[in-house]
Amino acid sequence: MRTIDQVPPHILTLLGDKGFDTADLRLAVRSDVDMDGRYADVWLVLCGDDFAVLSGYDRVQTARKPLATLPEIKPCFEQLDYRHFDFAQMEEPKVEQLISGNHLSVNVGGERQILCRFSHTRLTDMNLFIALFSKLKEGGCITDADFDREDSLFCPKCGMRYPDQARKLCPKCMDKGTLWKRILFFFGKYKRYVALSMGFMVLNVVLSIVSPLVGSQLLYDEVLVDAGTPWYGQALLYILILLGFRLLLLGIQVLQGRTVAKMSARVVYDVKDTVFTAMQKLSLSFFNSRQTGGLMNRVNSDAQSLFDFFVDGVPNIAVSATTMIGVCVIMFTMQWKLTLVVLTCVPLFFFAIRFTFALFDRLWRRRWSSFHSMNSQLGDSLSGIRVVKAFAKEGVEGARFEAANARATASDCSVRQRSATIWPLLGLIINVSTYIVWLVGGWMVVKGTLTFGEYMTFSAYMSMIYGPVGFFAQISSWWTNCTNSIQRIFEVLDARPDVCEAENPVPMPEMQGAVEFKDVSFHYVVNKDVIKKASFAIGAGQTIGIVGRTGAGKSTIANLITRLYDVSDGEVLIDGVNIKDIAMEDLRKNISIVSQEIFIFMGTIADNIRYARPDATMEEVIAAATIANAHEFIAKLPEGYETYVGDSRRRLSGGERQRISIARAILRNPKILILDEATASMDTTTERRIQEALTRLVKGRTTVIIAHRLSTLRDADVLAVIDEGKVAEYGTHAELFARKGIYHKLYTLQLEALKNVGVE
């Protein structure tokens, strides 16, 4: 009988000793934490109608015995706890998700009991256990189809955890050939360049194969020796012909290189553009779980690895492989015995190469990971340089970078050291066969069975065999590095957004603006809900204030309204339509957010305001800036609205940046406006200017205001107090203040604090 986890024989023996009919094994799953929170082996086993929970530690009985007796080693189980249940009395199994772990509980005779505790890594298996448990209770039979799950966390082949749970692909077991086939798709639109490069490659190979006949045999057997041919003594003519031949070969190689370089540059452009476009379509959670430096490497470094490989690697691979085949044919026609001597070591050489590919694949992945960590640490330190200097942590950051740099250097050194060791050893294999050919060939020349010209021509062809063989040895590092780059690129291209457009989205170009939360729950991290069964409604054109302690979940509500994330449970409705069903373009067009986290793009001030509506006229931009109280300070700048701002450009104050952000929202003219701490960290004068701008902005719009300063929310139509992810209080300012609950306490404390600093 198939079970979730295979029960070891010694556990079955132990259960048999306790009276269980192990031949009727129906269900089994393993937990990893005992009831005291210690890591242990906990087995939940159902045999017939007997259910057991057995916890303990697996041990292996060992003794100082000869190696030949190791198969006699037997496992044992150090039992800590044993509980027995009647399956007929067990009902309603349930997983209770906690922050540091989970419980599996069940009703036994009307009383809920905890069967076991388990870590988050066992959550998927425990959910499957509940499904199978319920099926057995309903009288059903468990089949293999019940175990076919798409939510498995691990690769079924090697057991490695999937790096991306949304993309069930194991980097260890994946077919690398499939990746290369997929990357070739980008060459489809450049068929003309592919045809040209292939044509130049064929000419290059043909001329390369003919070259030894012209450069060796003709010279030694006809030009320098009187063989009764018109070539004898024509050294000048021979040199001119040889020079022309070399120039022709060089010209073809240059044309081939230029064609491949142009094609590869365009392909890499397409790859970068495709990867960046794919990133833009992904959900915010994708970026929250990854560092910016690593994502930039996917676009730049990995794409550049492709360019280098396709420019220098692919042409050489094609030319080398074709040359080897052609040269082998000619060598067999010249001297098949010597050719067999040449080729004796080639299979051994490629057999060794097979193992070096696997080695360098692992080494290059480790090298990339260490350099990625170093770049990320460098990016964090430079981005937070103000904090670093404020806390005098230059030494600490230097030590952190030194450690990351040391790890990267060690991984890079490991690759280079192994390269410096392996390739000379492989070269020795080639040299041995070369020496044998020199010995046998020289003996044949002395005996007169082989002319000196034929011997030199054969030697030239032999070098043409070993040259590509040596190249294929070096290409292993190149190949594995490029394969890893392709893999990382497709990790982005194959990633699926958490927030997706509905198959048949509801078009809502014009919204009224009514928003409703219905039993909404949400978590950023599994098992840790930030919003818990929240319900409230905002009428079209109304203003709601969201208040609560820091970390209560206020900003999360704004993220859910804008659908930067999808709810875990419940519904968010706009004008009575589930937000998941609304066309994404219409949703974002009708919602604007002004937050304390302001981002100014590189460009002019006008461009930054116009970002909300690229087709806006200059008059509309100025009108929006005027309403936002931004026109006055913009007009005083030397270049006015054409002043360049952003990184390494003119620096704007926090208040100026915020007013540009408000002007951007005004230009959008949204039906729903979200103000998330829009006046936080501002001085009184600046805050008053921004507040005046916001007062103009909210007129006629459904407005969600998230603010710590509760006095600014007294005029809101309704207030929602969020406490530990729940809507603890809901009503007007007067109603909540009279209730003397959480809002009353927050308001009173804040009012007293403001009075103490002289602010009324």
Side-chain angles (χ1 to χ4, degrees), residues 176 351-366 418 422-423 476-477 479-480 484:
K176 303 293 174 48
F351 183 75
I353 288 294
R354 177 184 176 187
F355 292 96
T356 61
F357 265 85
L359 171 64
F360 279 101
D361 181 61
R362 184 174 67 255
L363 291 175
W364 276 107
R365 279 206 307 267
R366 187 182 303 163
R418 281 168 172 77
I422 290 175
W423 307 138
S476 62
S477 300
W479 176 279
T480 52
N484 290 332

Side-chain angles (χ1 to χ4, degrees), residues 457-755:
T457 302
F458 191 89
S459 298
Y461 279 126
M462 181 176 62
S463 65
M464 292 179 67
I465 285 284
Y466 288 142
V469 168
F471 170 76
F472 282 125
Q474 297 289 343
I475 204 66
S476 62
S477 300
W478 213 348
W479 176 279
T480 52
N481 184 34
C482 190
T483 300
N484 290 332
S485 293
I486 294 175
Q487 178 182 325
R488 290 188 292 267
I489 286 172
F490 280 113
E491 283 179 4
V492 175
L493 297 183
D494 293 343
R496 294 292 175 264
D498 299 327
V499 179
C500 301
E501 183 93 276
E503 290 186 8
N504 298 302
V506 178
M508 295 182 65
E510 295 293 335
M511 294 180 177
Q512 298 301 314
V515 179
E516 182 179 3
F517 273 52
K518 276 185 159 183
D519 294 325
V520 169
S521 295
F522 174 76
H523 59 252
Y524 294 102
V525 180
V526 178
N527 310 325
K528 189 177 180 181
D529 283 346
V530 179
I531 303 296
K532 305 171 185 176
K533 298 294 181 181
S535 297
F536 60 87
I538 316 168
Q542 286 188 328
T543 298
I544 183 173
I546 307 292
V547 301
R549 299 180 180 89
T550 301
K554 303 185 298 297
S555 295
T556 299
I557 290 176
N559 291 336
L560 295 177
I561 294 176
T562 54
R563 209 190 167 200
L564 295 177
Y565 299 91
D566 272 340
V567 300
S568 307
D569 194 18
E571 292 180 314
V572 178
L573 307 175
I574 294 182
D575 294 345
V577 181
N578 192 321
I579 198 172
K580 294 181 180 179
D581 298 327
I582 301 175
M584 196 77 75
E585 183 179 355
D586 291 339
L587 177 68
R588 300 282 166 80
K589 185 175 68 175
N590 282 277
I591 299 177
S592 280
I593 183 168
V594 178
S595 70
Q596 59 180 325
E597 297 178 4
I598 313 152
F599 189 84
I600 299 297
F601 294 92
M602 290 185 62
T604 66
I605 291 178
D607 291 337
N608 271 274
I609 298 175
R610 200 182 277 121
Y611 192 80
R613 240 184 65 208
D615 60 342
T617 64
M618 196 63 201
E619 289 74 15
E620 291 173 319
V621 170
I622 295 174
T626 302
I627 297 174
N629 275 345
H631 178 72
E632 183 179 351
F633 86 82
I634 295 174
K636 292 180 180 179
L637 297 174
E639 299 178 13
Y641 285 86
E642 298 304 315
T643 301
Y644 273 87
V645 292
D647 191 29
S648 301
R649 301 286 184 169
R650 183 181 182 88
R651 298 289 181 179
L652 298 176
S653 68
E656 291 171 340
R657 292 158 61 90
Q658 186 65 286
R659 278 176 276 174
I660 289 177
S661 176
I662 294 172
R664 188 186 296 165
I666 292 172
L667 196 61
R668 170 63 68 89
N669 191 26
K671 289 294 183 181
I672 300 173
L673 178 66
I674 301 174
L675 305 177
D676 186 4
E677 302 288 355
T679 60
S681 305
M682 299 291 175
D683 61 82
T684 306
T685 303
T686 303
E687 182 183 5
R688 184 176 294 113
R689 285 180 171 273
I690 294 175
Q691 199 63 51
E692 291 173 359
L694 293 177
T695 302
R696 302 189 191 103
L697 179 58
V698 301
K699 289 181 179 179
R701 311 177 201 278
T702 302
T703 307
V704 179
I705 304 177
I706 300 171
H708 277 298
R709 188 170 295 183
L710 304 184
S711 58
T712 62
L713 300 176
R714 284 181 296 186
D715 295 331
D717 297 304
V718 67
L719 299 174
V721 181
I722 308 299
D723 187 51
E724 296 183 354
K726 300 178 181 179
V727 180
E729 296 177 359
Y730 188 78
T732 64
H733 166 75
E735 292 171 347
L736 298 185
F737 194 79
R739 194 176 298 174
K740 296 188 181 299
I742 298 175
Y743 179 79
H744 180 274
K745 182 178 179 180
L746 290 174
Y747 191 89
T748 304
L749 289 174
Q750 193 173 103
L751 194 62
E752 291 177 356
L754 291 175
K755 286 181 178 179

